[in-house]
């Protein structure tokens, strides 16, 4: 069965996360443009991108792309923790996006279990 990724709530939340990260990066110091900022951007975009790419595959293959998307979401939290430690984002902004990422992770794991 193929899935229309635009109708998937997990893809929609992934897009929100990518956009939230993009907004956060506007406040990062310029010297981070090619380091942490770039990593955060690529990682956050990877979340919905892998869901979109996997949605055109078989359920077994789709599950693999969801694994990659989930991995990116855990990587993203780690990178955001580094950014918080460096005081590029405050506790409130970190907590808000972390909550959204954790919601994404729960929903995505549930969705993935339904594929098997």
């Amino acid at each position: 069965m193929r899935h229309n990724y635009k109708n998937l709530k997990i893809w929609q939340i992934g897009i929100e996360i990518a956009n939230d990260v993009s907004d956060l990066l506007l406040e990062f110091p310029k010297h981070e443009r090619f380091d942490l900022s770039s990593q955060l951007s690529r990682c956050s975009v990877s979340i919905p991108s892998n869901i979109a790419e996997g949605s055109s595959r078989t359920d077994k293959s789709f599950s693999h792309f969801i694994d990659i998307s989930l991995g990116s979401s855990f990587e993203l939290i780690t990178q955001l923790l580094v950014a918080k430690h460096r005081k590029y984002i405050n506790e409130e902004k970190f907590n808000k996006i972390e909550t959204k990422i954790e919601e994404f992770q729960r929903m995505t794991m549930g969705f993935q279990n339904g594929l098997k």
Side-chain angles (χ1 to χ4, degrees), residues 32-104:
E32 283 289 359
R33 187 176 304 136
F34 302 108
D35 274 335
L36 188 57
S37 292
S38 178
Q39 284 183 290
L40 280 159
S41 179
R42 286 192 317 269
C43 188
S44 65
V45 170
S46 170
I47 293 170
S49 296
N50 275 289
I51 292 168
E53 184 175 354
S55 70
S56 69
R57 313 285 178 106
T58 63
D59 280 356
K60 182 178 179 184
S61 184
F62 191 10
S63 185
H64 172 72
F65 280 89
I66 288 174
D67 281 337
I68 295 168
S69 182
L70 280 167
S72 293
S73 73
F74 284 97
E75 180 183 355
L76 180 59
I77 289 177
T78 300
Q79 293 169 358
L80 289 167
L81 282 165
V82 171
K84 185 177 80 160
H85 176 78
R86 294 180 183 176
K87 300 190 180 358
Y88 300 158
I89 57 174
N90 63 32
E91 188 81 25
E92 180 184 345
K93 288 180 181 180
F94 173 81
N95 290 339
K96 184 176 179 186
I97 195 161
E98 181 185 40
T99 299
K100 191 176 285 188
I101 295 167
E102 289 172 345
E103 175 191 7
F104 166 82

